[in-house]
Amino acid sequence: MQQLLKQLFSNSKYLVRLIFPVLVMMMASSLFILPAAATGVYQIPSLTADTWILDQGDVISRLNEGQISKTFQDLARETGNEARIVTIHRLDYGETPESFAKGLFSKWFPTAAEQANQVLLLVDTVTNGTALISGDQVKSLLTDSIVQSVAEETLGTALRSGNKYNQGFLDVSDRLVAVLSGKPDPGPPEIKETVQVEGTFTKAEETDQGNATAWVVGLLIAATVIPMATYYIYLVFQKPPSQESEE
């Protein structure tokens, strides 16, 4: 008995030595993995000359990214006004799209002179929260009402219609380029209403009515046939009175 207890005790010490490092590794990995899932301003790379779209949320196709980048590049060359789009998959705890966009705007453009002709659109793809920041020089073109409309209507409509990021960003780029070029604001895209065309399919209420009629007819037939069949069976199997008396 004493030897058995000694063996169990030694095995438990061995198990503790085996499991303890695994638990430590799991705890350590969780500490590193959880923060890595969120993005802070300090993790965003520095701005380069060809940075027009930074798609860390991975929601824009390569084709559309190239098309929008080309559009923004032409805008900067022709007007001096620059626009950029940044997507983030998840923000740091306590951050909002507005605070993140302001922080990134200050990081990329530290001085008021550098910020003057800049526009930055940020989208958090987890919540679809958006923020549109602009410099003082372009505020006369990109008014507060247009900024709100771009975020809530131009982009918001596409995101509410099934997270259509590519279509939304194409619409945003077209509208921003028009406004920042001094052209009339084209406004948000028109919402196409789906027209219900009457077809040959049976309506739900007609189907329900047809089913109810079938049930009523079926019950009436059953109410008529079952008693008749029962009576017929009774006559067939009932013995004649003459036979009963003979027996």
Side-chain angles (χ1 to χ4, degrees):
M1 183 66 180
Q2 187 175 6
Q3 184 178 2
L4 179 61
L5 291 174
K6 183 177 180 181
Q7 185 177 0
L8 289 174
F9 182 72
S10 62
N11 288 339
S12 64
K13 290 171 63 177
Y14 172 75
L15 290 175
V16 169
R17 288 198 301 268
L18 182 64
I19 294 174
F20 183 73
V22 176
L23 293 175
V24 171
M25 290 176 62
M26 291 175 62
M27 293 176 63
S29 61
S30 65
L31 292 176
F32 285 102
I33 291 173
L34 290 177
T39 303
V41 174
Y42 60 91
Q43 294 174 290
I44 301 298
S46 299
L47 184 66
T48 62
D50 59 347
T51 302
W52 303 104
I53 293 181
L54 183 62
D55 184 25
Q56 292 200 342
D58 195 23
V59 292
I60 308 176
S61 70
R62 290 290 182 88
L63 178 63
N64 288 330
E65 183 175 343
Q67 180 178 339
I68 296 172
S69 296
K70 177 67 166 55
T71 302
F72 285 166
Q73 187 177 18
D74 292 343
L75 171 70
R77 186 179 62 253
E78 295 170 4
T79 68
N81 296 326
E82 300 181 2
R84 290 174 174 83
I85 295 174
V86 176
T87 69
I88 301 297
H89 180 62
R90 181 178 285 108
L91 300 175
D92 265 345
Y93 178 77
E95 284 273 24
T96 64
E98 186 79 15
S99 65
F100 190 97
K102 288 181 177 179
L104 181 57
F105 198 69
S106 299
K107 175 182 177 178
W108 278 356
F109 315 107
T111 67
E114 292 175 308
Q115 296 174 1
N117 63 337
Q118 300 294 334
V119 174
L120 175 64
L121 173 64
L122 178 102
V123 179
D124 170 24
T125 60
V126 172
T127 63
N128 282 341
T130 62
L132 185 58
I133 308 296
S134 61
D136 294 335
Q137 184 174 319
V138 297
K139 286 188 181 296
S140 60
L141 299 173
L142 195 63
T143 62
D144 292 340
S145 60
I146 295 179
V147 167
Q148 183 176 2
S149 178
V150 168
E152 296 180 1
E153 296 178 301
T154 304
L155 181 58
T157 298
L159 298 186
R160 288 189 296 270
S161 302
N163 289 337
K164 297 177 181 178
Y165 291 100
N166 285 283
Q167 184 60 54
F169 288 129
L170 287 172
D171 293 339
V172 165
S173 66
D174 290 343
R175 189 173 181 185
L176 288 178
V177 168
V179 171
L180 295 176
S181 298
K183 299 176 183 178
D185 177 20
E190 295 183 2
I191 300 176
K192 298 180 181 179
E193 297 183 358
T194 303
V195 179
Q196 182 66 38
V197 179
E198 187 172 356
T200 58
F201 298 101
T202 305
K203 296 180 180 179
E205 54 269 21
E206 293 176 353
T207 303
D208 294 341
Q209 185 176 358
N211 290 337
T213 302
W215 274 102
V216 171
V217 173
L219 290 174
L220 289 175
I221 293 174
T224 303
V225 172
I226 291 175
M228 293 177 62
T230 304
Y231 181 68
Y232 176 75
I233 294 172
Y234 172 77
L235 292 178
V236 170
F237 289 95
Q238 186 183 27
K239 295 180 180 180
S242 60
Q243 292 182 4
E244 291 180 356
S245 61
E246 291 175 1
E247 292 176 359

